[in-house]
């Protein structure tokens, strides 16, 4: 057959999309995490499977997915593969230049502290109020790789120190709720914190705002005042589904003075359906409180950091270090993973997060469990020894690798790529070495 009589079929390979006779044949997945121990508490998955990602969403969770179906496959055998971790207590309203303020210099930009710990979602816990939230959204929320959500401070000016946080005249539940309703799915809670007075107004107005906006209230109970005992807050003022943070601080009546176990206030709160959050921070976690309360049967519902400029270099360090403390106290790896994924997602009513359901956002943490001798420090610089430590090996945010501790997603520098570099942006946030385009004769394909 002469060439003039042949039908020439040409195929141009553009990454993993092959065009044959004008028809596109695309790969089924952008990324497969292969062979890891998948732990997804929402869906009761706790076994070795593969996780596939497409267009920023979880596309499949099943054993033995074919590498041929993905642009990129990463071997994660021997590691836990979990939903991206959710930290519901951080302070991220950085960049205003205000000294000594959580709406300023006390806060940190999230991306430098989250992705390397497997955290893909944070909730800023009241650094901004209804007056300042638009600036916080523009300055941090809209510019971060980390998903940043917010609890609005019941104080309209936000978390700017006692002058502002003790101002009863700036605590307006209706105004706070109005702004919260303008940003559904971004403003996910109301926060009251650091109040030193004896009045109930901060908490009652916070609950009012939470009720109008149908979102939970988180309480950092401030000074310990006999006029407003913790028992009354947890038995009368807060609603089921609200959140009490700093549950192991011991500073406001969390611990029974005789038994050293959970106080009657914590017990009645749990009976009523209030959630209890670690909120470690720089001064809200003591071994002398946490160990007896936990050993007495009172585990936290969620693990969080209370990340800010002091806690990050003190006993808290990061999300996984707080989880390591719970392991050292006797919790299991599945328990702490649940307290960092599905539990906090439910607490903030964002149940599309914290799971690996097909269609869920592809936010994923790949974690190893290291065994050895480790020391974990509380707010009084006292140490508890432990044998396990969680290490983040890889983080995927919105379907793309955004952190890779040991290059498990990377190819060796002096060997051919295992995936088409021109499609790298489908699965990674990192730069990939480009390759020249190829045009081939379809008749040579087999």
């Amino acid at each position: 057959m002469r060439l003039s009589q042949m039908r020439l079929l040409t195929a141009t390979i553009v990454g993993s999309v092959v065009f044959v006779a004008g028809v596109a044949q695309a790969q089924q997945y952008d990324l497969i995490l292969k062979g890891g121990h998948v732990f997804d508490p929402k869906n009761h998955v706790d076994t070795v499977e593969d996780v596939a990602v497409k267009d920023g969403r979880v596309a499949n969770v099943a054993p033995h997915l074919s590498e041929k179906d993905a642009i990129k496959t990463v071997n994660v055998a021997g590691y836990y593969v979990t939903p991206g971790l959710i930290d519901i207590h951080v302070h991220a309203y950085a960049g205003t230049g205000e000294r000594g303020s959580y709406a300023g210099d006390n806060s940190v930009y999230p991306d430098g502290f989250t992705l390397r710990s497997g955290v893909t979602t944070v909730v800023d816990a009241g650094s901004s109020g209804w007056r300042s939230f638009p600036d916080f959204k523009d300055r941090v929320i809209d510019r971060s790789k980390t998903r940043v959500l917010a609890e609005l401070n019941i104080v309209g000016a936000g978390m700017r120190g006692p002058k502002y946080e003790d101002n009863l005249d700036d605590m307006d539940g209706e105004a706070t709720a109005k702004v919260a309703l303008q940003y559904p799915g971004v403003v996910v809670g109301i926060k009251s914190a650091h109040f030193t007075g004896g009045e109930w107004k901060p908490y009652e107005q916070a609950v009012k705002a939470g009720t109008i906006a149908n979102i939970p209230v988180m309480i950092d109970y401030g000074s310990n005042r006999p006029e407003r005992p913790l028992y009354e807050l947890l038995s009368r003022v807060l609603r089921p589904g609200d959140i009490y943070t700093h549950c192991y601080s011991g500073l406001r009546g969390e611990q029974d003075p005789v038994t050293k176990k959970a106080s009657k206030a914590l017990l009645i709160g749990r009976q009523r359906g209030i959630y209890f959050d670690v909120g470690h921070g720089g001064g809200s976690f003591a071994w002398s409180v946490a160990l007896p309360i936990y050993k007495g049967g009172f585990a936290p519902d969620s693990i969080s950091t209370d990340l800010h400029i002091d806690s990050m270099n003190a006993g808290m360090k990061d999300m996984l270090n707080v989880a390591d403390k719970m392991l050292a106290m006797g919790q299991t790896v599945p328990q702490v993973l649940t307290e960092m994924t599905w539990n906090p997602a439910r607490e903030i009513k964002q149940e599309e997060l914290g799971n690996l359901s097909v269609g869920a956002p592809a936010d994923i943490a790949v974690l190893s469990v290291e065994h050895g001798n480790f020391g974990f420090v509380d707010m009084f610089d006292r140490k508890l020894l432990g044998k396990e430590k969680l290490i983040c090996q890889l983080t995927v945010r919105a379907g793309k690798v955004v952190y890779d501790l040991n290059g498990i997603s990377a190819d060796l520098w002096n060997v051919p790529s295992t995936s088409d570099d021109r499609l790298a942006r489908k699965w990674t946030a990192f730069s990939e070495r480009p390759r020249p385009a190829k045009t081939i004769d379809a008749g040579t394909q087999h």
Side-chain angles (χ1 to χ4, degrees):
M1 184 180 298
R2 297 196 307 268
L3 185 61
S4 60
Q5 295 175 320
M6 295 175 61
R7 181 183 180 190
L8 294 179
L9 297 176
T10 61
T12 302
I13 297 181
V14 181
S16 300
V17 182
V18 181
F19 295 90
V20 180
V23 179
Q25 298 175 333
Q27 295 285 43
Q28 187 174 356
Y29 308 122
D30 298 329
L31 175 67
I32 290 177
L33 301 177
K34 192 164 189 63
H37 185 140
V38 179
F39 184 78
D40 177 6
K42 176 186 178 180
N43 294 302
H44 308 290
V45 177
D46 187 6
T47 189
V48 174
E49 288 189 316
D50 303 335
V51 178
V53 172
K54 178 71 173 178
D55 295 331
R57 298 273 170 176
V58 177
N60 200 356
V61 180
H64 310 305
L65 296 178
S66 174
E67 296 183 20
K68 296 179 181 179
D69 291 335
I71 297 171
K72 178 71 175 183
T73 297
V74 180
N75 181 4
V76 293
Y79 300 138
Y80 276 95
V81 178
T82 79
L85 309 185
I86 303 171
D87 188 348
I88 62 169
H89 190 157
V90 308
H91 294 287
Y93 189 5
T96 68
E98 186 169 78
R99 296 185 180 185
S101 169
Y102 289 96
D105 288 356
N106 289 355
S107 282
V108 299
Y109 288 109
D111 289 347
F113 303 90
T114 51
L115 306 175
R116 62 183 51 241
S117 296
V119 175
T120 54
T121 298
V122 298
V123 181
D124 180 272
S127 303
S128 68
W130 69 267
R131 300 178 194 276
S132 55
F133 177 76
D135 180 68
F136 173 49
K137 184 174 184 295
D138 175 69
R139 192 181 296 271
V140 177
I141 293 175
D142 294 343
R143 308 186 194 196
S144 299
K145 286 185 179 179
T146 308
R147 178 186 292 102
V148 181
L149 309 176
E151 296 161 350
L152 287 186
N153 202 307
I154 193 57
V155 177
M159 195 175 288
R160 301 174 63 188
K163 173 183 175 181
Y164 298 93
E165 293 171 77
D166 285 342
N167 182 6
L168 293 170
D169 293 333
D170 198 22
M171 300 175 185
D172 187 330
E174 291 186 2
T176 303
K178 182 178 180 180
V179 172
L181 288 168
Q182 291 174 5
Y183 300 94
V186 178
V187 175
V188 297
I190 308 297
K191 177 74 180 295
S192 175
H194 304 165
F195 183 61
T196 63
E199 296 86 351
W200 286 103
K201 184 176 181 179
Y203 316 107
E204 291 169 346
Q205 288 297 306
V207 169
K208 181 178 183 179
T211 300
I212 295 171
N214 191 29
I215 51 180
V217 169
M218 175 185 278
I219 299 295
D220 167 348
Y221 207 28
S223 298
N224 190 14
R225 297 292 295 259
E227 307 98 306
R228 48 173 178 82
L230 182 61
Y231 185 89
E232 190 167 353
L233 176 79
L234 297 177
S235 65
R236 179 186 69 84
V237 179
L238 295 187
R239 309 159 297 167
D242 287 338
I243 306 164
Y244 184 81
T245 193
H246 304 321
C247 68
Y248 292 138
S249 74
L251 300 176
R252 307 163 189 93
E254 296 89 356
Q255 187 173 36
D256 187 285
V258 177
T259 67
K260 304 300 181 184
K261 298 179 182 180
S263 66
K264 292 180 180 179
L266 264 60
L267 296 176
I268 190 65
R270 176 147 287 172
Q271 289 174 10
R272 294 185 61 238
I274 292 167
Y275 294 116
F276 291 89
D277 174 62
V278 172
H280 189 295
S284 297
F285 186 93
W287 290 123
S288 60
V289 177
L291 274 166
I293 289 180
Y294 173 74
K295 296 295 185 183
F298 198 94
D301 294 296
S302 56
I303 291 171
S304 71
T305 61
D306 187 11
L307 173 69
H308 52 74
I309 61 169
D310 292 324
S311 64
M312 68 185 188
N313 290 324
M316 188 280 291
K317 296 181 176 62
D318 59 33
M319 185 71 149
L320 293 180
N321 192 65
V322 180
D324 295 339
K325 294 181 179 186
M326 301 311 301
L327 294 175
M329 285 167 54
Q331 286 204 295
T332 65
V333 171
Q335 285 173 323
V336 301
L337 294 181
T338 301
E339 291 161 4
M340 296 188 291
T341 57
W342 181 231
N343 280 10
R346 293 171 59 208
E347 289 178 34
I348 60 173
K349 297 185 178 182
Q350 301 297 305
E351 296 187 7
E352 76 282 6
L353 305 177
N355 67 84
L356 297 176
S357 303
V358 172
D363 296 347
I364 305 169
V366 178
L367 309 173
S368 61
V369 183
E370 307 296 327
H371 298 273
N373 296 310
F374 308 107
F376 304 105
V377 177
D378 70 2
M379 66 180 180
F380 297 120
D381 202 29
R382 293 298 183 130
K383 179 171 61 178
L384 179 70
L385 298 177
K387 296 292 186 182
E388 292 178 300
K389 191 169 183 63
L390 293 168
I391 303 293
C392 179
Q393 297 292 337
L394 188 84
T395 304
V396 175
R397 166 76 177 102
K400 296 183 180 182
V401 174
V402 291
Y403 178 75
D404 187 348
L405 178 63
N406 288 299
I408 60 175
S409 68
D411 295 317
L412 291 173
W413 72 273
N414 56 350
V415 301
S417 296
T418 58
S419 64
D420 195 306
D421 294 330
R422 288 162 299 179
L423 285 183
R425 289 302 177 193
K426 298 286 286 183
W427 64 269
T428 182
F430 305 143
S431 296
E432 288 285 325
R433 184 170 55 193
R435 296 191 305 172
K438 295 179 181 178
T439 301
I440 57 177
D441 186 23
T444 65
Q445 301 307 295
H446 300 286

